[in-house]
Amino acid sequence: MKRRDILAFVTLAIVIGLIPNFVSSKYYFIVLNVIGLNAIVVIGLNLLIGYAGQISLGHAAFFGLGSYFSGVLTVNYGWSPWVAMLIGMLATGAVAYLVGYPSLKLRGHYLVMATLAFSIIVYILMGELSYFTGGHDGLIGIEPLSIFGYAFDSDLRNFYLIWFFVFICMILSYNLLYSRVGRALRAIHGSEIASSSLGVNTQSYKVKIFVLSAMYASVSGSLYAHYIMFISPSTYDFYYSIQVVTMVIVGGMGSLWGSIFGAALLTTISEALHVA
């Protein structure tokens, strides 16, 4: 890792640590937490769109799957929230593989339509499987995450937890992009035909990065469920998929730091317009 990158990560950690000293409003902490949750999804989606060149409108579904796996397993079956979160991430990754393997053979708007169709199917299932999910009325009673009796049951505590995960996702993504895998993804984005001619297994790399980005979204969804302690299908509609893709574009495709900027800008604008 280069000196400037280390400096950037240290600066991010310092900013995260100092923000609570300057922010006292509960509302502002809620906005900051939503920015963090969106940033996790956008970082993963940027790996897929900005670096691999594959567009997906299905990440609202992956976000929702993470939420519902965590919510259903903790509320209906009494599982540990951390275990439920891990199971949700792995299960979402498995679903993403099953969806991505055939879908990523498509290109252009055909790929977009395939991922959009998947998102709509998951949205419908969330509402119709009311015995497990609570249907359109939502699922309540989700426990907050806790470590050794320390419960993340306030906006401030969740701020540290959520942004810790943002920090981890940034480091993991950075290391990935500056490895052999990252170089392969950039080559695929440039030209799949040229990449294949040089021995790059384009289909394998595309599916793997699709699965990884879905797992990022799942983690964000689980954090959301345990933070809000209530989930309903309306949170995971088509609009959210459009929103996170827009955040990738606004922040800059192929820019990890731009992912945080895009999430922060559009989330803040959305909240400001709601207040107005």
Side-chain angles (χ1 to χ4, degrees):
M1 187 178 290
K2 298 178 181 178
R3 173 181 281 182
R4 65 176 184 179
D5 298 315
I6 295 175
L7 180 61
F9 281 113
V10 170
T11 302
L12 175 62
I14 292 173
V15 170
I16 292 172
L18 291 179
I19 280 179
N21 295 321
F22 300 97
V23 177
S24 58
S25 169
K26 179 179 179 181
Y27 171 73
Y28 290 143
F29 271 115
I30 293 174
V31 174
L32 288 170
N33 291 342
V34 173
I35 290 173
L37 292 169
N38 287 336
I40 295 173
V41 180
V42 176
I43 290 168
L45 192 57
N46 209 342
L47 294 177
L48 181 68
I49 298 177
Y51 290 94
Q54 309 301 308
I55 300 176
S56 169
L57 289 181
H59 274 57
F62 298 130
F63 183 77
L65 286 173
S67 295
Y68 272 96
F69 270 109
S70 282
V72 171
L73 290 177
T74 54
V75 173
N76 296 347
Y77 300 99
W79 286 35
S80 163
W82 290 107
V83 174
M85 183 176 178
L86 177 61
I87 295 298
M89 183 179 66
L90 295 176
T92 301
V95 171
Y97 179 83
L98 295 175
V99 172
Y101 188 81
S103 298
L104 290 168
K105 293 180 181 180
L106 304 173
R107 296 182 182 181
H109 60 278
Y110 295 108
L111 174 60
V112 174
M113 295 302 294
T115 54
L116 174 59
F118 166 71
S119 183
I120 294 173
I121 290 170
V122 171
Y123 174 78
I124 293 172
L125 289 176
M126 288 175 185
E128 296 301 322
L129 297 177
S130 56
Y131 178 79
F132 297 101
T133 66
H136 290 284
D137 293 330
L139 185 68
I140 61 175
I142 303 173
E143 297 180 10
L145 292 164
S146 62
I147 299 177
F148 303 118
Y150 183 87
F152 295 94
D153 54 1
S154 68
D155 295 307
L156 175 58
R157 292 181 176 184
N158 274 283
F159 168 80
Y160 285 119
L161 178 65
I162 290 169
W163 281 92
F164 170 77
F165 274 92
V166 174
F167 190 79
I168 294 300
C169 288
M170 284 289 291
I171 292 178
L172 290 175
S173 300
Y174 179 91
N175 288 329
L176 175 72
L177 292 173
Y178 287 91
S179 68
R180 181 179 179 180
V181 175
R183 291 191 292 272
L185 294 177
R186 290 184 178 90
I188 292 170
H189 192 180
S191 172
E192 288 191 35
I193 296 175
S195 300
S196 297
S197 68
L198 293 174
V200 177
N201 190 336
T202 58
Q203 177 67 8
S204 176
Y205 278 113
K206 288 193 296 182
V207 172
K208 288 177 180 177
I209 203 64
F210 185 77
V211 170
L212 180 61
S213 67
M215 293 172 75
Y216 275 34
S218 176
V219 169
S220 180
S222 293
L223 291 171
Y224 172 84
H226 293 292
Y227 170 45
I228 302 298
M229 295 185 286
F230 168 81
I231 52 177
S232 68
S234 60
T235 307
Y236 318 104
D237 59 9
F238 167 69
Y239 171 74
Y240 186 70
S241 287
I242 295 293
Q243 188 178 29
V244 290
V245 169
T246 305
M247 289 176 183
V248 171
I249 296 171
V250 170
M253 293 189 294
S255 170
L256 288 180
W257 295 102
S259 300
I260 297 178
F261 173 77
L265 180 62
L266 289 190
T267 301
T268 302
I269 291 175
S270 177
E271 290 299 322
L273 292 176
H274 285 161
V275 172

